[in-house]
Amino acid sequence: LLVLDNAEHLLAAVAGLAEALGAAAPGLRLLVTSQAPLKLPAERVLRLGGLSVPTAPCTAAEAQTHAAVALFVAQARQVDRRFRLDDGSVEDVVAICGALEGQALGLQLAASLLAMQPLGEVKRRLVPASPALAAASGEPSQNVLRAALAWSHSLLDEAPRRVFRRLAVVMGAVPLP
């Protein structure tokens, strides 16, 4: 078994590698994680859904039994040890988890924003005011993640922003000095 993680940015290369490995080692099994399929004849695609998200309204105790909320809270506590999920904050947390469709990466990113903004502000920036409007502009969770990344980028000083813009166009590994 060979595991290749995060292949979405190298789909053609990974597909070529998978075909070559399959021909050279027929007993080899590949597990490739990616946001997009490789489109190979022998490929089996398994789509993973997001973590479970409670339906609102609910209590903090009920919300905490759902994986999306538990992950958000755990990550939020790493950023701010004083963060507690209570009946006053549960609505905002559930709304954020729902807008991100339980996607782990998005939840971790959203929780990390609590280092710079209060929970209500994070919700205001990440949760669309109109779900119908968000749905019309594409997949909602992708729009929310894009907005979160853009917001995080805007919080940086100009020098780090310039570095990220330059790295965004680099293909392959970047040697460190």
Side-chain angles (χ1 to χ4, degrees):
L1 175 65
L2 177 62
V3 178
L4 303 174
D5 193 19
N6 293 325
E8 53 272 343
H9 62 292
L10 300 169
L11 286 176
V14 172
L17 176 65
E19 285 182 315
L21 288 172
L28 178 68
R29 297 287 181 238
L30 289 176
L31 174 61
V32 180
T33 66
S34 173
Q35 295 293 320
L38 298 176
K39 298 182 181 171
L40 297 175
E43 180 177 25
R44 289 190 319 183
V45 176
L46 302 172
R47 302 215 183 269
L48 301 178
L51 302 172
S52 67
V53 178
T55 56
C58 64
T59 66
E62 292 167 341
Q64 189 72 36
T65 65
H66 290 266
V69 173
L71 176 62
F72 183 90
V73 170
Q75 192 70 31
R77 286 185 180 154
Q78 287 184 0
V79 172
D80 180 0
R81 291 179 301 147
R82 298 169 293 158
F83 182 85
R84 295 288 178 261
L85 182 68
D86 57 29
D87 289 340
S89 62
V90 70
E91 181 183 334
D92 288 347
V93 172
V94 168
I96 292 168
C97 292
L100 292 169
E101 298 176 353
Q103 292 183 11
L105 179 60
L107 295 169
Q108 291 171 321
L109 177 60
S112 70
L113 295 175
L114 294 174
M116 298 169 275
Q117 300 287 324
L119 180 63
E121 180 64 11
V122 172
K123 176 191 172 198
R124 187 186 71 75
R125 290 181 180 263
L126 296 182
V127 177
S130 165
L133 184 62
S137 62
E139 188 176 333
S141 62
Q142 295 301 318
N143 292 334
V144 172
L145 286 174
R146 194 171 287 113
L149 289 170
W151 177 35
S152 295
H153 185 262
S154 73
L155 295 173
L156 296 171
D157 291 330
E158 181 53 34
R161 274 193 259 170
R162 190 176 18 229
V163 170
F164 279 117
R165 283 193 304 269
R166 290 178 179 166
L167 286 173
V169 298
V170 174
M171 296 291 287
V174 177
L176 295 176

